[in-house]
Amino acid sequence: MASIARQTPLLRQSCLSAFRSPLASRNAAGVSQTVAFHASAQKQILPPLPQTVEGTLNDPAPVPEPHPSHGSYHWVFERAVCVGLVPLTIAPFAAGSLNPVTDAILCSLLVVHSHVGFDASITDYFPGKRVPKTKTIFSWLLRGFTLTTAVGLYELETNDVGLTETIKRVWKA
C-alpha cells in the first residue's frame, strides 16, 4: 500500500502530461493554465468549406424571388399532410380493416411526408450556395428513393394485402 502511495504523484503527473498541450503556459507554481481539452484545435478534423463574399459590406442582403411553393403555402401544406396522417394512421387499428382507397391515401401521404422531411434536411445541412454538387447529388438520391418507395408501396397495395394489413400481420407475428 505504501508503494502505491509513493507512485501516485508520479503516476498522476504522467497521466496529466498526456492531456496537456505543448503550447500550454504555466504559472509561477508550475501548473498549466489551459484546460485539458481545447475547444479550438490547430488542425480541424475536416477543413472548412470555401467561403466567398459577394458584394461589399454596405450592400443589402439579397431577397429571393417569391415562389408560391415556398413560404407560408409550403408550411401549410406540410402541416396539412402531418395532420392528415394522424387519423389515417390510427383508424385502421381502431376500427378494423380499411378501404383500399383509404389505405392508398395513407401510403401516398407517407411518401409525401417522408420526401418533404428529407428534402428539408438536405436543404438545411447542404445549402446550395456552399456545396452545390453535394446538394444536387443528395436531392437526386432522395428522388430515387422516393420513387422506389412509392413503387414498392404501390406493389404492396395492388398485388398484396395492403399496408395496414401488413403492419397488423407483422405486429401479431
Side-chain angles (χ1 to χ4, degrees):
M1 190 68 152
S3 65
I4 294 175
R6 277 180 274 162
Q7 291 177 357
T8 303
L10 180 60
L11 184 63
R12 185 181 305 132
Q13 183 180 7
S14 65
C15 290
L16 287 175
S17 65
F19 294 112
R20 287 194 185 121
S21 169
L23 302 174
S25 60
R26 301 188 181 278
N27 63 8
V31 178
S32 176
Q33 294 180 343
T34 58
V35 294
F37 297 100
H38 296 283
S40 61
Q42 289 180 356
K43 290 185 177 179
Q44 295 180 353
I45 295 174
L46 294 173
L49 295 169
Q51 311 231 343
T52 59
V53 177
E54 297 174 7
T56 64
L57 295 173
N58 294 326
D59 291 342
V63 177
E65 289 197 30
H67 195 273
S69 66
H70 291 84
S72 63
Y73 294 124
H74 187 249
W75 186 86
V76 169
F77 175 73
E78 287 178 352
R79 295 309 159 281
V81 168
C82 293
V83 169
L85 277 173
V86 174
L88 285 172
T89 306
I90 297 171
F93 305 106
S97 215
L98 273 184
N99 186 337
V101 174
T102 312
D103 207 22
I105 293 170
L106 172 63
C107 290
S108 301
L109 285 181
L110 280 173
V111 170
V112 169
H113 177 72
S114 299
H115 181 83
V116 168
F118 281 115
D119 187 44
S121 297
I122 291 170
T123 302
D124 288 345
Y125 289 109
F126 303 106
K129 286 190 175 184
R130 288 185 72 197
V131 283
K133 291 179 183 177
T134 306
K135 182 179 180 188
T136 303
I137 289 169
F138 278 114
S139 294
W140 279 104
L141 278 173
L142 174 63
R143 291 174 187 141
F145 283 125
T146 300
L147 183 63
T148 304
T149 303
V151 169
L153 286 173
Y154 174 77
E155 288 293 321
L156 183 68
E157 287 295 316
T158 57
N159 299 330
D160 208 349
V161 293
L163 181 65
T164 55
E165 186 63 32
T166 303
I167 293 171
K168 284 181 185 178
R169 290 181 182 183
V170 169
W171 188 265
K172 291 179 182 178

